[in-house]
């Protein structure tokens, strides 16, 4: 049986965007005609509330880039999934490789964040990806499948979880795996998901640009993209969405 998975094109603005640029970008996306893909933007936390009001009534969804596992408490500087939902988010990224590397987030910590997202009614975008050394050693598929299974809480379902395959060496570098390599990893992730796999969206991320999006999004197990740098340009982001 073939399961329809509508593509999702998600923009991760990372630590970019002051109000002037970020709100203009959000306005441009909110005004764009609806296409074949679902659109999501994940601005920095400072812009969540104003971007939420710009996107309200548009088909573009709002997400955050990280959350704490707890609901509230003495965690200076952190934001709970409930706070993000309260600010208008429908999604939150969990376990982006930049957070895994710079903040020491383990698979278990990522799983706790994804569980927190589910508790708050958010869709968790759970990120996994291999290093260049792991790929060179022929371990990419095994490494990402194990990382995914270690990062998914029991509460993960196709309706509340999106997987993002992001090779660490492809993020922000302009380098990408071949289409065959992407297809092989996505098929391995789909298989690792077992019963949950058929309906769960698996995005590719890492140097997705308008000129490579059509090829990278073509394999049947690729259900969209997580876009960093190119999501800071409305034209580029919408061109990627148009290729989905
Ligand atoms: P990039 O980032 O598109 O700039 O490579 C992707 C990501 O980190 O999600």
């Amino acid at each position: 049986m073939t399961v329809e998975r509508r593509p999702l094109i998600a923009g991760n603005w990372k630590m970019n965007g002051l109000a002037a640029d970020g709100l203009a970008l959000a306005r441009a996306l909110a005004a764009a005609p609806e296409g074949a893909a679902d659109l999501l933007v994940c601005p920095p936390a400072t812009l969540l509330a104003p971007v939420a009001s710009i996107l309200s009534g548009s088909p573009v969804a709002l997400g955050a880039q990280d959350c704490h596992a707890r609901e509230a408490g003495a965690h200076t500087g952190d934001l709970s999934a409930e706070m993000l939902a309260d600010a208008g988010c429908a999604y939150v990224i969990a376990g982006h490789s930049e957070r895994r590397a710079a903040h020491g987030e383990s698979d278990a910590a990522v799983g706790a964040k994804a569980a927190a997202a589910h508790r708050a009614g958010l869709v968790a975008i759970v990120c996994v990806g291999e290093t260049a050394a792991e790929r060179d050693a022929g371990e990419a598929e095994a490494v990402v499948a194990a990382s995914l299974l270690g990062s998914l809480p029991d509460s993960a379902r196709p309706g509340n979880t999106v997987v993002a395959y992001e090779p660490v060496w492809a993020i922000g570098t302009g380098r990408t795996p071949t289409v065959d390599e992407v297809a092989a990893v996505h098929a391995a992730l789909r298989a690792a998901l077992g019963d949950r796999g058929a309906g769960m969206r698996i995005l590719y991320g890492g140097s997705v640009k308008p000129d490579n999006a059509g090829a990278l999004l073509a394999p049947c197990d690729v259900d969209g993209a997580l876009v960093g740098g190119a999501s800071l340009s409305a034209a580029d982001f919408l061109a990627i969405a148009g290729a989905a």
Side-chain angles (χ1 to χ4, degrees), residues 12 14 96 166 170-172 206-208 226-229:
N12 172 12
K14 308 191 180 186
H96 189 281
E166 297 207 300
I171 295 176
S207 296
V208 177
L226 182 53
V227 185

Side-chain angles (χ1 to χ4, degrees), residues 10-24:
N12 172 12
W13 296 3
K14 308 191 180 186
M15 197 173 74
N16 294 293
L18 301 178
D21 291 342
L23 302 189

Side-chain angles (χ1 to χ4, degrees), residues 14-42:
K14 308 191 180 186
M15 197 173 74
N16 294 293
L18 301 178
D21 291 342
L23 302 189
L25 177 54
R27 278 187 206 100
L29 298 177
E34 199 169 348
D38 290 338
L39 296 187
L40 164 69
V41 290
C42 301

